């Protein structure tokens, strides 16, 4: 090698301005300018991070930023085809590319279509999402020195641990179904190791860790992390069925929760449909089935996507819990955003849900799962009042949440079929009464809400709200004419208020955005009751003061709960506006 090109000679000469690699510039280190890998990057064992630009050639980072910008623009154009000019305008990625594009939040007087897009810029933790390509300095309690992190690069080790710690404090509420210890161990593996989780899942966990941290410096990375998860999921599906498909589903579930929170309902619907389709295609609804797929004659060989046998009960438990996490999303999105369902549980061959109810991961860890247990018609057995699954399922928060979700969606779907001119009215009322009784039975068996904070406390609370939401959905159509339905709706609404109070929900760092729709439903029932009582007593007798005060206090509590997360959650903000509008003048 020529001496003029040696590291020693290069370091002794002053490097021309602008000739240092981008990594050394960001880290404010002295660069020797050697290409393709400079001395500092080589000694740090980070050759892939060594990039140069002379103003004409574009770096990989710049090209990635441009690609993300183009993808975001294309998504906005597809969602708003009649919009001119496009809703998202491209910016120089080194100036204001990451600044969130604000959309208009519907005012209380406007109806919300499922197609309306509410930007993450509408609440504080997204208002910090604008950033530039300059390094971020994070002051941490572990060190007095500054740490540089530019997403989507991996953050420093202590920041990774901070994000994981925050994330796993809320993992059950985010419907994280993978084994946490195994996942965290795999996260410690170096990038490129085949045992490390796929980048889409890693960034999805970082995304939620950033949001839940409420750290303004970390929150600046929210926008780029969300964009990375969405783009990386497009190429994350493995070629052949494998355990890695669970990572794809897990990343999608985390992204669904994020999109729904910020009001990106089309994106949530798209990812929800995709996750549900993957789960069914890979046979997650047929785990431990007692009803094998019947053989039939065909000249077409059907491609089999069934996953290979799990290696142990923990891996099987991940698959069982994965299915019910997807089931929860599919059912809830069908109610809030409208049908159809992807996981239908019909009589068509291979469609019936046979997978046993989910359990906490500790149960799978103990190896107590009966190896010979086989189940069939899990959902149908539940609706008929039968129990043919695990002995522990009735007292399991994951199982109760899944059952409450099933009742919530079934009640919504049955009530939607009512028409005054319905032909078989006897069959409708038979189904109505049977479902109403099943909801009441389930509510009587719900786990007690513990006021002491626990990891699964939010799930128990959400299951209670969903079960009472099922009563409201079933009886809402008849509540204005039928005293029994009106009483049932009000009782369920007050039960939701009591559940909120019992669990101290206002103290939760995170609560499911689905609660916004449930709280709003309860609040509207209370508003209707106040108006009905006022109208009934207008010309007869004064309102009973105690009952009237109780109803107003309950409504105030619901509005207060919605107002808490509203600045950070577009969905909560919307439902709060609707409730405030309807309560005007009462």
């Amino acid at each position: 090698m020529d001496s003029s090109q040696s590291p020693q000679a290069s370091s002794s000469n002053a490097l021309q301005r602008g000739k240092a690699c981008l990594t050394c510039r960001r880290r404010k280190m002295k660069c020797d300018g050697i290409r393709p890998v400079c001395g500092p990057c080589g000694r740090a064992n980070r050759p892939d991070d060594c990039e140069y630009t002379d103003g004409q050639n574009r770096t990989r980072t710049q090209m990635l930023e441009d690609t993300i910008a183009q993808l975001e623009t294309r998504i906005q154009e597809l969602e708003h085809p009649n919009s001119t000019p496009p809703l998202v305008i491209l910016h120089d990625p080194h100036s204001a590319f990451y600044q969130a594009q604000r959309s208009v939040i519907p005012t209380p007087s406007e109806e919300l279509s499922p197609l309306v897009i509410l930007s993450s810029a509408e609440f504080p933790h997204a208002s910090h999402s604008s950033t530039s390509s300059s390094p971020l300095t994070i002051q941490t309690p572990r060190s007095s020195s500054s740490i540089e992190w530019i997403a989507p690069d991996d953050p420093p080790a202590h920041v990774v641990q901070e994000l994981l710690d925050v994330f796993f404090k809320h993992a059950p509420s985010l419907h994280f179904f993978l084994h946490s210890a195994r996942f965290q161990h795999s996260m410690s593996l170096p990038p490129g190791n085949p045992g490390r989780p796929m980048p889409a899942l890693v960034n999805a966990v970082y995304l939620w860790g950033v949001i839940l941290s409420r750290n303004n410096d970390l929150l600046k990375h929210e926008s780029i992390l969300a964009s990375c998860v969405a783009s990386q999921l497009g190429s994350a599906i493995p070629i052949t069925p494998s355990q890695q498909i669970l990572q794809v589903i897990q990343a999608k579930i985390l992204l669904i929760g994020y999109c729904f929170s910020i009001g990106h309902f089309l994106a949530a619907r798209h990812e929800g449909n995709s996750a549900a389709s993957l789960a069914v295609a890979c046979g997650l609804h047929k785990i431990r089935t007692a009803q094998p797929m019947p053989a039939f004659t065909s000249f077409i060989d059907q491609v089999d996507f069934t996953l290979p046998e799990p290696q142990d009960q923990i891996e099987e438990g991940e698959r069982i819990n994965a299915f019910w996490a997807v089931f929860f999303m599919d059912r809830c999105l069908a109610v809030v955003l409208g049908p159809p369902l992807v996981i239908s549980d019909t009589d068509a061959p291979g469609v019936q849900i046979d997978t046993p109810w989910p359990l906490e991961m500790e149960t799978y860890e103990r190896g107590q799962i009966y190896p010979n247990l086989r189940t069939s018609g899990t959902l149908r057995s539940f609706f008929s009042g039968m129990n043919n699954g695990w002995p522990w399922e009735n007292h399991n928060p994951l199982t109760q949440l899944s059952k409450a979700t099933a009742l919530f969606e079934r009640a919504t779907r049955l009530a939607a079929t009512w028409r005054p001119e319905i032909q078989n009215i006897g069959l409708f009322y038979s189904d109505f009464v049977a479902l109403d009784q099943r909801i009441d039975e389930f509510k009587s068996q719900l786990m007690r809400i513990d006021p002491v904070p626990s990891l699964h406390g939010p799930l128990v609370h959400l299951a209670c709200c969903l079960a009472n939401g099922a009563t409201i959905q079933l009886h809402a159509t008849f509540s204005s004419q039928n005293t029994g339905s009106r009483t049932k709706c009000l009782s369920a609404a007050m039960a939701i208020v009591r559940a909120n109070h019992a669990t101290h929900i206002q103290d939760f760092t995170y609560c499911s955005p689905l609660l916004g729709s449930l709280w709003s439903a309860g609040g509207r029932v209370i508003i209707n009751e106040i108006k009905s009582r006022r109208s009934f007593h207008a010309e007869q007798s004064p309102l009973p003061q105690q009952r009237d005060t109780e109803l107003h206090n309950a409504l105030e509590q619901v509005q207060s709960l919605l107002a808490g997360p509203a600045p950070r959650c577009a969905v909560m903000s919307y439902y709060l506006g609707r409730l405030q509008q309807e309560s005007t003048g009462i």
Side-chain angles (χ1 to χ4, degrees), residues 421-455:
E421 65 278 7
I422 192 170
Q423 292 184 353
N424 197 339
I425 193 170
L427 178 61
F428 174 85
Y429 278 120
S430 175
D431 292 341
F432 182 95
V433 171
L435 181 57
D436 191 37
Q437 291 176 346
R438 192 69 190 96
I439 294 172
D440 288 343
E441 291 172 2
F442 176 76
K443 288 194 289 189
S444 69
Q445 300 167 358
L446 276 170
M447 295 175 64
R448 183 178 63 88
I449 294 179
D450 193 342
V452 179
S454 65
L455 194 62

Side-chain angles (χ1 to χ4, degrees), residues 487-501:
T487 301
K488 280 220 152 188
C489 283
L490 181 60
S491 176
M494 297 302 287
I496 291 175
V497 173
R498 288 193 298 271
N500 296 334
H501 179 74

